[in-house]
Amino acid sequence: LVNVDRVDRDALAASERVAAAVADAEARLGEAGRVLVRPSGTEPLVRVMVEAPDQALADEVAAAVAAAVREDCGVGR
């Protein structure tokens, strides 16, 4: 789980870069894992959640998707 704060939620919904990062992550994980990117309902941030066969892979994939969110949708980018 990676929390990304100060994200423009409208930009997140329209971001092709984030969609591509999620698609790449899903392809890398295959049937062995999953990726979820969603704005928090209670805090001003976006949660990037990844399930994978091992923690190192989950951390690596989550960091890559979170970086795409920060770079393409971060406030003040």
Side-chain angles (χ1 to χ4, degrees):
L1 170 69
V2 176
N3 292 320
V4 183
D5 62 349
R6 299 187 347 226
V7 173
D8 179 338
R9 291 180 182 205
D10 293 330
L12 177 68
S15 175
E16 291 180 17
R17 183 176 186 177
V18 173
V22 170
D24 288 346
E26 289 173 338
R28 185 168 178 200
L29 295 171
E31 295 293 320
R34 64 183 178 159
V35 178
L36 177 64
V37 177
R38 65 179 277 284
S40 171
T42 59
E43 298 175 84
L45 52 87
V46 169
R47 300 186 191 285
V48 177
M49 295 171 269
V50 176
E51 291 181 358
D54 63 75
Q55 189 63 49
L57 179 58
D59 292 343
E60 186 177 323
V61 170
V65 173
V69 171
R70 252 184 234 103
E71 292 166 10
D72 206 40
C73 306
V75 173
R77 63 188 178 285

